Amino acid sequence: MNYRHAYHAGNFADVVKHAVLARVLTHLRDKPAAFRVIDTHAGAGVYDLSGIEAGKTLEWRDGIDRLIGADLDQPARALLAPYLDAVAALNPAGALTAYPGSPALTQALLRPQDRLIACELEPQAAAALSNRLRGDARAKAVAIDGWTALTAYVPPKERRGLVLVDPPFEQPGELSRLTQALAAAHRKWPTGCYLLWYPIKDTTEVASFVRKLSRLAIAKTLRIELILATSTEDKGLRGTGLIAVNPPWRLYEELESLLPALGNILSRGAACRTTLSWLTGEITT
Ligand SMILES: C[S@@+](CC[C@H](N)C(=O)[O-])C[C@H]1O[C@@H](n2cnc3c(N)ncnc32)[C@H](O)[C@@H]1O
C-alpha cells in the first residue's frame, strides 16, 4: 500500500467527488429518519495543505483553491454551500491550510441520529482517522479492509444511507473489483445509495468498466464524469468519474448545472467534457 491521499487532497477529482458527496448527504438529511454512511476507503480524515506531501504536488491549487476563488453564480453557490461551509469551518483564520477528506466532510453533515463507519487500512492514515473521529459518538473509525467491510456492513440497521467506495487504484483490476463489489452489495441492499469513484486515465478502460456496470442492469445508476482539457500525451489523471446508484431524486437535475460549472472553474474555462447519463436509459448531456 503505497498510496497516500495527502499528495492529492483537494485536487480537482476531490472537488467533484466531495461536491457530489455533500449533495447526497444534504438530501439524506431531508427526512428525519436516521441514516448511516459506510466509507470503505476513508483516508486520514483531514489533510494539511501546508504539509510536505501537499506541497510537493500542489494539486489542491488547481482544485479547492480554484473553486474557493471562483466567481460562482447564486444557484451554484447554494448547491456547493454544504461542501464549502465544511471547508471554511476547518479554516477559521481564512487562509486555506486544511482540507476535509470524505469522513470529515461526512462528519460535518451528520445529525445527532446519523452514523458514520469509516474504514482505513494504511496504519498512519488509520491512526490519523481514529484521532479525528475520537470523541464523536456518531462516528467510528475501523482499521479493516474496506472491501470486506462493504459486504460485512450492508445493509445497515437504519436501512437508509450511503456507501462510499473510493479505493486508491494501485492494483490492476480494481475497476473489475469495484463492479463485483457493487453487484454483491446491491444484492444484499438493493435500496441503498452507493457512490463509487474511479479515475479516468484511459478512456477505453473506462468504457469497458461502464459496459460491465451496465450489464449488472441495476436500475438508477448515474454516471458522472468530468474530463479536463489535457493533452493526450499526458498519462496522468485526465478526468474523474463517479457512479451513483439510487441517487437522491434531485441529484441529476442539480448536476445538470453544477457539473458544467465545476468543469469551467477546474479547467480555467478551457474545453472540458462532462457526462451525466443513466446507465439504463442513457440520458446524456
Ligand atoms: C483515494 S483514498 C481515500 C480518500 C477519501 N475517501 C476522501 O475522499 O477523502 C484511498 C484510501 O484507501 C486506503 N486503502 C487502500 N487499500 C485499502 C483497503 N483494502 N481497505 C481500506 N482502505 C484502504 C488508502 O490508504 C487511502 O487512504
Side-chain angles (χ1 to χ4, degrees), residues 231-265:
S231 122
T232 47
E233 280 98 84
D234 182 355
K235 295 274 184 269
L237 194 66
R238 296 176 53 209
T240 179
L242 285 164
I243 293 293
V245 173
N246 294 323
W249 69 274
R250 290 184 56 201
L251 188 72
Y252 181 91
E253 174 194 317
E254 292 175 352
L255 292 181
E256 276 185 308
S257 60
L258 190 54
L259 197 56
L262 286 174
N264 274 335
I265 294 162

PDB file of all heavy atoms in Angstrom, residues 231-265:
ATOM      1  N   SER A 231      -3.622  17.311 -22.721  1.00  0.00           N
ATOM      2  CA  SER A 231      -3.100  16.668 -23.924  1.00  0.00           C
ATOM      3  C   SER A 231      -3.190  15.149 -23.788  1.00  0.00           C
ATOM      4  O   SER A 231      -3.094  14.604 -22.686  1.00  0.00           O
ATOM      5  CB  SER A 231      -1.658  17.122 -24.126  1.00  0.00           C
ATOM      6  OG  SER A 231      -0.805  16.028 -24.145  1.00  0.00           O
ATOM      7  N   THR A 232      -3.355  14.459 -24.902  1.00  0.00           N
ATOM      8  CA  THR A 232      -3.485  13.002 -24.840  1.00  0.00           C
ATOM      9  C   THR A 232      -2.152  12.335 -24.472  1.00  0.00           C
ATOM     10  O   THR A 232      -2.126  11.185 -24.111  1.00  0.00           O
ATOM     11  CB  THR A 232      -3.978  12.422 -26.177  1.00  0.00           C
ATOM     12  OG1 THR A 232      -3.206  13.017 -27.198  1.00  0.00           O
ATOM     13  CG2 THR A 232      -5.438  12.650 -26.404  1.00  0.00           C
ATOM     14  N   GLU A 233      -1.054  13.107 -24.588  1.00  0.00           N
ATOM     15  CA  GLU A 233       0.242  12.539 -24.168  1.00  0.00           C
ATOM     16  C   GLU A 233       0.325  12.442 -22.654  1.00  0.00           C
ATOM     17  O   GLU A 233       1.151  11.733 -22.105  1.00  0.00           O
ATOM     18  CB  GLU A 233       1.424  13.413 -24.621  1.00  0.00           C
ATOM     19  CG  GLU A 233       1.816  13.213 -26.070  1.00  0.00           C
ATOM     20  CD  GLU A 233       1.194  14.284 -26.939  1.00  0.00           C
ATOM     21  OE1 GLU A 233       1.765  15.357 -27.029  1.00  0.00           O
ATOM     22  OE2 GLU A 233       0.118  14.033 -27.502  1.00  0.00           O
ATOM     23  N   ASP A 234      -0.533  13.196 -21.974  1.00  0.00           N
ATOM     24  CA  ASP A 234      -0.497  13.214 -20.519  1.00  0.00           C
ATOM     25  C   ASP A 234      -1.064  11.907 -19.981  1.00  0.00           C
ATOM     26  O   ASP A 234      -2.235  11.615 -20.133  1.00  0.00           O
ATOM     27  CB  ASP A 234      -1.324  14.407 -20.019  1.00  0.00           C
ATOM     28  CG  ASP A 234      -1.307  14.518 -18.509  1.00  0.00           C
ATOM     29  OD1 ASP A 234      -0.741  13.627 -17.859  1.00  0.00           O
ATOM     30  OD2 ASP A 234      -1.866  15.491 -18.001  1.00  0.00           O
ATOM     31  N   LYS A 235      -0.200  11.110 -19.361  1.00  0.00           N
ATOM     32  CA  LYS A 235      -0.651   9.794 -18.882  1.00  0.00           C
ATOM     33  C   LYS A 235      -1.226   9.884 -17.454  1.00  0.00           C
ATOM     34  O   LYS A 235      -1.585   8.884 -16.871  1.00  0.00           O
ATOM     35  CB  LYS A 235       0.513   8.792 -18.900  1.00  0.00           C
ATOM     36  CG  LYS A 235       1.024   8.500 -20.294  1.00  0.00           C
ATOM     37  CD  LYS A 235       0.207   7.393 -20.945  1.00  0.00           C
ATOM     38  CE  LYS A 235       0.741   7.007 -22.296  1.00  0.00           C
ATOM     39  NZ  LYS A 235       0.179   7.728 -23.428  1.00  0.00           N
ATOM     40  N   GLY A 236      -1.256  11.078 -16.898  1.00  0.00           N
ATOM     41  CA  GLY A 236      -1.768  11.236 -15.544  1.00  0.00           C
ATOM     42  C   GLY A 236      -3.288  11.208 -15.519  1.00  0.00           C
ATOM     43  O   GLY A 236      -3.943  10.767 -16.466  1.00  0.00           O
ATOM     44  N   LEU A 237      -3.821  11.681 -14.418  1.00  0.00           N
ATOM     45  CA  LEU A 237      -5.271  11.682 -14.256  1.00  0.00           C
ATOM     46  C   LEU A 237      -5.873  12.755 -15.160  1.00  0.00           C
ATOM     47  O   LEU A 237      -5.660  13.932 -14.951  1.00  0.00           O
ATOM     48  CB  LEU A 237      -5.565  11.991 -12.775  1.00  0.00           C
ATOM     49  CG  LEU A 237      -6.969  11.730 -12.284  1.00  0.00           C
ATOM     50  CD1 LEU A 237      -7.288  10.247 -12.308  1.00  0.00           C
ATOM     51  CD2 LEU A 237      -7.123  12.275 -10.865  1.00  0.00           C
ATOM     52  N   ARG A 238      -6.634  12.311 -16.157  1.00  0.00           N
ATOM     53  CA  ARG A 238      -7.238  13.270 -17.096  1.00  0.00           C
ATOM     54  C   ARG A 238      -8.628  13.674 -16.649  1.00  0.00           C
ATOM     55  O   ARG A 238      -9.142  14.718 -17.007  1.00  0.00           O
ATOM     56  CB  ARG A 238      -7.361  12.648 -18.488  1.00  0.00           C
ATOM     57  CG  ARG A 238      -6.042  12.311 -19.118  1.00  0.00           C
ATOM     58  CD  ARG A 238      -6.279  11.608 -20.430  1.00  0.00           C
ATOM     59  NE  ARG A 238      -7.168  12.393 -21.274  1.00  0.00           N
ATOM     60  CZ  ARG A 238      -7.995  11.877 -22.177  1.00  0.00           C
ATOM     61  NH1 ARG A 238      -8.062  10.591 -22.360  1.00  0.00           N
ATOM     62  NH2 ARG A 238      -8.770  12.655 -22.905  1.00  0.00           N
ATOM     63  N   GLY A 239      -9.241  12.773 -15.911  1.00  0.00           N
ATOM     64  CA  GLY A 239     -10.615  13.059 -15.540  1.00  0.00           C
ATOM     65  C   GLY A 239     -11.008  12.275 -14.310  1.00  0.00           C
ATOM     66  O   GLY A 239     -10.257  11.436 -13.803  1.00  0.00           O
ATOM     67  N   THR A 240     -12.197  12.586 -13.854  1.00  0.00           N
ATOM     68  CA  THR A 240     -12.686  11.968 -12.624  1.00  0.00           C
ATOM     69  C   THR A 240     -14.104  11.461 -12.841  1.00  0.00           C
ATOM     70  O   THR A 240     -14.895  12.117 -13.526  1.00  0.00           O
ATOM     71  CB  THR A 240     -12.613  12.996 -11.461  1.00  0.00           C
ATOM     72  OG1 THR A 240     -13.102  12.397 -10.281  1.00  0.00           O
ATOM     73  CG2 THR A 240     -13.404  14.263 -11.746  1.00  0.00           C
ATOM     74  N   GLY A 241     -14.382  10.279 -12.309  1.00  0.00           N
ATOM     75  CA  GLY A 241     -15.699   9.693 -12.524  1.00  0.00           C
ATOM     76  C   GLY A 241     -16.336   9.223 -11.231  1.00  0.00           C
ATOM     77  O   GLY A 241     -15.642   8.875 -10.267  1.00  0.00           O
ATOM     78  N   LEU A 242     -17.646   9.253 -11.230  1.00  0.00           N
ATOM     79  CA  LEU A 242     -18.414   8.745 -10.083  1.00  0.00           C
ATOM     80  C   LEU A 242     -19.598   7.971 -10.621  1.00  0.00           C
ATOM     81  O   LEU A 242     -20.230   8.392 -11.600  1.00  0.00           O
ATOM     82  CB  LEU A 242     -18.965   9.906  -9.242  1.00  0.00           C
ATOM     83  CG  LEU A 242     -17.993  10.664  -8.350  1.00  0.00           C
ATOM     84  CD1 LEU A 242     -18.618  11.978  -7.914  1.00  0.00           C
ATOM     85  CD2 LEU A 242     -17.612   9.829  -7.121  1.00  0.00           C
ATOM     86  N   ILE A 243     -19.882   6.864  -9.986  1.00  0.00           N
ATOM     87  CA  ILE A 243     -21.118   6.132 -10.268  1.00  0.00           C
ATOM     88  C   ILE A 243     -21.997   6.297  -9.040  1.00  0.00           C
ATOM     89  O   ILE A 243     -21.563   5.993  -7.921  1.00  0.00           O
ATOM     90  CB  ILE A 243     -20.824   4.635 -10.522  1.00  0.00           C
ATOM     91  CG1 ILE A 243     -20.022   4.436 -11.820  1.00  0.00           C
ATOM     92  CG2 ILE A 243     -22.115   3.803 -10.544  1.00  0.00           C
ATOM     93  CD1 ILE A 243     -20.750   4.787 -13.109  1.00  0.00           C
ATOM     94  N   ALA A 244     -23.192   6.817  -9.267  1.00  0.00           N
ATOM     95  CA  ALA A 244     -24.142   6.975  -8.150  1.00  0.00           C
ATOM     96  C   ALA A 244     -25.307   6.027  -8.391  1.00  0.00           C
ATOM     97  O   ALA A 244     -25.983   6.116  -9.418  1.00  0.00           O
ATOM     98  CB  ALA A 244     -24.634   8.412  -8.064  1.00  0.00           C
ATOM     99  N   VAL A 245     -25.492   5.093  -7.465  1.00  0.00           N
ATOM    100  CA  VAL A 245     -26.614   4.145  -7.566  1.00  0.00           C
ATOM    101  C   VAL A 245     -27.685   4.589  -6.568  1.00  0.00           C
ATOM    102  O   VAL A 245     -27.364   4.952  -5.435  1.00  0.00           O
ATOM    103  CB  VAL A 245     -26.145   2.704  -7.254  1.00  0.00           C
ATOM    104  CG1 VAL A 245     -27.322   1.739  -7.191  1.00  0.00           C
ATOM    105  CG2 VAL A 245     -25.145   2.243  -8.296  1.00  0.00           C
ATOM    106  N   ASN A 246     -28.915   4.597  -7.025  1.00  0.00           N
ATOM    107  CA  ASN A 246     -30.038   5.101  -6.211  1.00  0.00           C
ATOM    108  C   ASN A 246     -29.764   6.510  -5.678  1.00  0.00           C
ATOM    109  O   ASN A 246     -29.913   6.782  -4.477  1.00  0.00           O
ATOM    110  CB  ASN A 246     -30.328   4.176  -5.019  1.00  0.00           C
ATOM    111  CG  ASN A 246     -30.822   2.816  -5.450  1.00  0.00           C
ATOM    112  OD1 ASN A 246     -31.560   2.716  -6.426  1.00  0.00           O
ATOM    113  ND2 ASN A 246     -30.415   1.767  -4.737  1.00  0.00           N
ATOM    114  N   PRO A 247     -29.338   7.436  -6.542  1.00  0.00           N
ATOM    115  CA  PRO A 247     -29.053   8.776  -6.027  1.00  0.00           C
ATOM    116  C   PRO A 247     -30.344   9.457  -5.584  1.00  0.00           C
ATOM    117  O   PRO A 247     -31.428   9.106  -6.061  1.00  0.00           O
ATOM    118  CB  PRO A 247     -28.466   9.498  -7.244  1.00  0.00           C
ATOM    119  CG  PRO A 247     -29.029   8.787  -8.425  1.00  0.00           C
ATOM    120  CD  PRO A 247     -29.183   7.349  -8.005  1.00  0.00           C
ATOM    121  N   PRO A 248     -30.248  10.433  -4.684  1.00  0.00           N
ATOM    122  CA  PRO A 248     -31.437  11.207  -4.336  1.00  0.00           C
ATOM    123  C   PRO A 248     -32.059  11.765  -5.624  1.00  0.00           C
ATOM    124  O   PRO A 248     -31.316  12.140  -6.549  1.00  0.00           O
ATOM    125  CB  PRO A 248     -30.885  12.332  -3.468  1.00  0.00           C
ATOM    126  CG  PRO A 248     -29.579  11.834  -2.974  1.00  0.00           C
ATOM    127  CD  PRO A 248     -29.041  10.903  -4.011  1.00  0.00           C
ATOM    128  N   TRP A 249     -33.367  11.855  -5.682  1.00  0.00           N
ATOM    129  CA  TRP A 249     -34.018  12.117  -6.966  1.00  0.00           C
ATOM    130  C   TRP A 249     -33.653  13.467  -7.574  1.00  0.00           C
ATOM    131  O   TRP A 249     -33.691  13.638  -8.778  1.00  0.00           O
ATOM    132  CB  TRP A 249     -35.540  11.926  -6.873  1.00  0.00           C
ATOM    133  CG  TRP A 249     -36.269  12.946  -6.053  1.00  0.00           C
ATOM    134  CD1 TRP A 249     -36.456  12.914  -4.713  1.00  0.00           C
ATOM    135  CD2 TRP A 249     -36.906  14.135  -6.518  1.00  0.00           C
ATOM    136  NE1 TRP A 249     -37.159  14.009  -4.303  1.00  0.00           N
ATOM    137  CE2 TRP A 249     -37.463  14.782  -5.393  1.00  0.00           C
ATOM    138  CE3 TRP A 249     -37.090  14.740  -7.769  1.00  0.00           C
ATOM    139  CZ2 TRP A 249     -38.160  15.987  -5.463  1.00  0.00           C
ATOM    140  CZ3 TRP A 249     -37.785  15.932  -7.852  1.00  0.00           C
ATOM    141  CH2 TRP A 249     -38.309  16.546  -6.721  1.00  0.00           C
ATOM    142  N   ARG A 250     -33.237  14.437  -6.762  1.00  0.00           N
ATOM    143  CA  ARG A 250     -32.915  15.741  -7.349  1.00  0.00           C
ATOM    144  C   ARG A 250     -31.454  15.867  -7.779  1.00  0.00           C
ATOM    145  O   ARG A 250     -31.061  16.889  -8.342  1.00  0.00           O
ATOM    146  CB  ARG A 250     -33.277  16.847  -6.362  1.00  0.00           C
ATOM    147  CG  ARG A 250     -34.801  16.956  -6.226  1.00  0.00           C
ATOM    148  CD  ARG A 250     -35.209  18.086  -5.338  1.00  0.00           C
ATOM    149  NE  ARG A 250     -34.647  19.357  -5.791  1.00  0.00           N
ATOM    150  CZ  ARG A 250     -34.507  20.416  -5.001  1.00  0.00           C
ATOM    151  NH1 ARG A 250     -34.879  20.356  -3.746  1.00  0.00           N
ATOM    152  NH2 ARG A 250     -34.010  21.531  -5.482  1.00  0.00           N
ATOM    153  N   LEU A 251     -30.656  14.848  -7.526  1.00  0.00           N
ATOM    154  CA  LEU A 251     -29.219  14.969  -7.821  1.00  0.00           C
ATOM    155  C   LEU A 251     -28.962  15.197  -9.319  1.00  0.00           C
ATOM    156  O   LEU A 251     -28.150  16.047  -9.698  1.00  0.00           O
ATOM    157  CB  LEU A 251     -28.453  13.731  -7.337  1.00  0.00           C
ATOM    158  CG  LEU A 251     -26.941  13.867  -7.445  1.00  0.00           C
ATOM    159  CD1 LEU A 251     -26.394  14.837  -6.393  1.00  0.00           C
ATOM    160  CD2 LEU A 251     -26.234  12.527  -7.290  1.00  0.00           C
ATOM    161  N   TYR A 252     -29.676  14.457 -10.153  1.00  0.00           N
ATOM    162  CA  TYR A 252     -29.463  14.598 -11.603  1.00  0.00           C
ATOM    163  C   TYR A 252     -29.660  16.050 -12.040  1.00  0.00           C
ATOM    164  O   TYR A 252     -28.818  16.651 -12.706  1.00  0.00           O
ATOM    165  CB  TYR A 252     -30.415  13.663 -12.371  1.00  0.00           C
ATOM    166  CG  TYR A 252     -30.219  13.745 -13.859  1.00  0.00           C
ATOM    167  CD1 TYR A 252     -29.326  12.901 -14.507  1.00  0.00           C
ATOM    168  CD2 TYR A 252     -30.893  14.702 -14.609  1.00  0.00           C
ATOM    169  CE1 TYR A 252     -29.120  13.001 -15.870  1.00  0.00           C
ATOM    170  CE2 TYR A 252     -30.686  14.815 -15.971  1.00  0.00           C
ATOM    171  CZ  TYR A 252     -29.805  13.963 -16.591  1.00  0.00           C
ATOM    172  OH  TYR A 252     -29.581  14.074 -17.941  1.00  0.00           O
ATOM    173  N   GLU A 253     -30.807  16.586 -11.631  1.00  0.00           N
ATOM    174  CA  GLU A 253     -31.164  17.957 -12.025  1.00  0.00           C
ATOM    175  C   GLU A 253     -30.113  18.964 -11.478  1.00  0.00           C
ATOM    176  O   GLU A 253     -29.710  19.888 -12.180  1.00  0.00           O
ATOM    177  CB  GLU A 253     -32.557  18.204 -11.431  1.00  0.00           C
ATOM    178  CG  GLU A 253     -33.150  19.541 -11.543  1.00  0.00           C
ATOM    179  CD  GLU A 253     -34.371  19.631 -10.584  1.00  0.00           C
ATOM    180  OE1 GLU A 253     -35.161  18.667 -10.518  1.00  0.00           O
ATOM    181  OE2 GLU A 253     -34.480  20.658  -9.899  1.00  0.00           O
ATOM    182  N   GLU A 254     -29.648  18.746 -10.270  1.00  0.00           N
ATOM    183  CA  GLU A 254     -28.650  19.651  -9.693  1.00  0.00           C
ATOM    184  C   GLU A 254     -27.337  19.583 -10.473  1.00  0.00           C
ATOM    185  O   GLU A 254     -26.705  20.607 -10.742  1.00  0.00           O
ATOM    186  CB  GLU A 254     -28.390  19.289  -8.231  1.00  0.00           C
ATOM    187  CG  GLU A 254     -29.583  19.566  -7.340  1.00  0.00           C
ATOM    188  CD  GLU A 254     -29.382  19.107  -5.899  1.00  0.00           C
ATOM    189  OE1 GLU A 254     -28.378  18.433  -5.593  1.00  0.00           O
ATOM    190  OE2 GLU A 254     -30.246  19.417  -5.079  1.00  0.00           O
ATOM    191  N   LEU A 255     -26.949  18.358 -10.843  1.00  0.00           N
ATOM    192  CA  LEU A 255     -25.664  18.197 -11.526  1.00  0.00           C
ATOM    193  C   LEU A 255     -25.713  18.694 -12.969  1.00  0.00           C
ATOM    194  O   LEU A 255     -24.676  19.002 -13.554  1.00  0.00           O
ATOM    195  CB  LEU A 255     -25.206  16.734 -11.475  1.00  0.00           C
ATOM    196  CG  LEU A 255     -24.828  16.235 -10.074  1.00  0.00           C
ATOM    197  CD1 LEU A 255     -24.370  14.789 -10.126  1.00  0.00           C
ATOM    198  CD2 LEU A 255     -23.734  17.099  -9.439  1.00  0.00           C
ATOM    199  N   GLU A 256     -26.928  18.787 -13.522  1.00  0.00           N
ATOM    200  CA  GLU A 256     -27.035  19.338 -14.882  1.00  0.00           C
ATOM    201  C   GLU A 256     -26.429  20.740 -14.950  1.00  0.00           C
ATOM    202  O   GLU A 256     -25.852  21.122 -15.949  1.00  0.00           O
ATOM    203  CB  GLU A 256     -28.501  19.397 -15.306  1.00  0.00           C
ATOM    204  CG  GLU A 256     -29.011  18.094 -15.868  1.00  0.00           C
ATOM    205  CD  GLU A 256     -30.428  18.233 -16.390  1.00  0.00           C
ATOM    206  OE1 GLU A 256     -31.291  18.727 -15.625  1.00  0.00           O
ATOM    207  OE2 GLU A 256     -30.670  17.861 -17.545  1.00  0.00           O
ATOM    208  N   SER A 257     -26.589  21.507 -13.876  1.00  0.00           N
ATOM    209  CA  SER A 257     -25.976  22.845 -13.888  1.00  0.00           C
ATOM    210  C   SER A 257     -24.625  22.847 -13.156  1.00  0.00           C
ATOM    211  O   SER A 257     -23.689  23.515 -13.574  1.00  0.00           O
ATOM    212  CB  SER A 257     -26.920  23.870 -13.269  1.00  0.00           C
ATOM    213  OG  SER A 257     -27.210  23.505 -11.924  1.00  0.00           O
ATOM    214  N   LEU A 258     -24.525  22.074 -12.084  1.00  0.00           N
ATOM    215  CA  LEU A 258     -23.321  22.143 -11.252  1.00  0.00           C
ATOM    216  C   LEU A 258     -22.078  21.548 -11.937  1.00  0.00           C
ATOM    217  O   LEU A 258     -20.978  22.100 -11.841  1.00  0.00           O
ATOM    218  CB  LEU A 258     -23.589  21.443  -9.918  1.00  0.00           C
ATOM    219  CG  LEU A 258     -22.532  21.629  -8.838  1.00  0.00           C
ATOM    220  CD1 LEU A 258     -22.247  23.102  -8.577  1.00  0.00           C
ATOM    221  CD2 LEU A 258     -22.969  20.951  -7.543  1.00  0.00           C
ATOM    222  N   LEU A 259     -22.269  20.431 -12.638  1.00  0.00           N
ATOM    223  CA  LEU A 259     -21.113  19.749 -13.241  1.00  0.00           C
ATOM    224  C   LEU A 259     -20.428  20.631 -14.306  1.00  0.00           C
ATOM    225  O   LEU A 259     -19.199  20.814 -14.250  1.00  0.00           O
ATOM    226  CB  LEU A 259     -21.558  18.394 -13.811  1.00  0.00           C
ATOM    227  CG  LEU A 259     -20.486  17.371 -14.118  1.00  0.00           C
ATOM    228  CD1 LEU A 259     -19.609  17.061 -12.915  1.00  0.00           C
ATOM    229  CD2 LEU A 259     -21.116  16.085 -14.654  1.00  0.00           C
ATOM    230  N   PRO A 260     -21.190  21.231 -15.246  1.00  0.00           N
ATOM    231  CA  PRO A 260     -20.517  22.141 -16.193  1.00  0.00           C
ATOM    232  C   PRO A 260     -19.896  23.351 -15.488  1.00  0.00           C
ATOM    233  O   PRO A 260     -18.820  23.800 -15.887  1.00  0.00           O
ATOM    234  CB  PRO A 260     -21.644  22.585 -17.137  1.00  0.00           C
ATOM    235  CG  PRO A 260     -22.722  21.575 -16.964  1.00  0.00           C
ATOM    236  CD  PRO A 260     -22.608  21.034 -15.576  1.00  0.00           C
ATOM    237  N   ALA A 261     -20.542  23.832 -14.418  1.00  0.00           N
ATOM    238  CA  ALA A 261     -19.980  24.987 -13.692  1.00  0.00           C
ATOM    239  C   ALA A 261     -18.644  24.599 -13.064  1.00  0.00           C
ATOM    240  O   ALA A 261     -17.649  25.333 -13.166  1.00  0.00           O
ATOM    241  CB  ALA A 261     -20.963  25.469 -12.624  1.00  0.00           C
ATOM    242  N   LEU A 262     -18.585  23.414 -12.459  1.00  0.00           N
ATOM    243  CA  LEU A 262     -17.318  22.940 -11.872  1.00  0.00           C
ATOM    244  C   LEU A 262     -16.273  22.743 -12.975  1.00  0.00           C
ATOM    245  O   LEU A 262     -15.109  23.085 -12.812  1.00  0.00           O
ATOM    246  CB  LEU A 262     -17.533  21.618 -11.114  1.00  0.00           C
ATOM    247  CG  LEU A 262     -18.257  21.717  -9.773  1.00  0.00           C
ATOM    248  CD1 LEU A 262     -18.524  20.319  -9.211  1.00  0.00           C
ATOM    249  CD2 LEU A 262     -17.464  22.548  -8.758  1.00  0.00           C
ATOM    250  N   GLY A 263     -16.734  22.208 -14.103  1.00  0.00           N
ATOM    251  CA  GLY A 263     -15.824  21.985 -15.230  1.00  0.00           C
ATOM    252  C   GLY A 263     -15.170  23.283 -15.683  1.00  0.00           C
ATOM    253  O   GLY A 263     -13.962  23.340 -15.907  1.00  0.00           O
ATOM    254  N   ASN A 264     -15.964  24.340 -15.803  1.00  0.00           N
ATOM    255  CA  ASN A 264     -15.427  25.645 -16.225  1.00  0.00           C
ATOM    256  C   ASN A 264     -14.375  26.148 -15.268  1.00  0.00           C
ATOM    257  O   ASN A 264     -13.331  26.647 -15.669  1.00  0.00           O
ATOM    258  CB  ASN A 264     -16.548  26.694 -16.268  1.00  0.00           C
ATOM    259  CG  ASN A 264     -17.250  26.664 -17.592  1.00  0.00           C
ATOM    260  OD1 ASN A 264     -16.674  26.245 -18.579  1.00  0.00           O
ATOM    261  ND2 ASN A 264     -18.498  27.100 -17.601  1.00  0.00           N
ATOM    262  N   ILE A 265     -14.662  25.999 -13.979  1.00  0.00           N
ATOM    263  CA  ILE A 265     -13.733  26.512 -12.958  1.00  0.00           C
ATOM    264  C   ILE A 265     -12.453  25.673 -12.932  1.00  0.00           C
ATOM    265  O   ILE A 265     -11.353  26.197 -12.946  1.00  0.00           O
ATOM    266  CB  ILE A 265     -14.415  26.502 -11.570  1.00  0.00           C
ATOM    267  CG1 ILE A 265     -15.571  27.487 -11.561  1.00  0.00           C
ATOM    268  CG2 ILE A 265     -13.419  26.795 -10.459  1.00  0.00           C
ATOM    269  CD1 ILE A 265     -16.556  27.261 -10.426  1.00  0.00           C
TER     270      ILE A 265
END
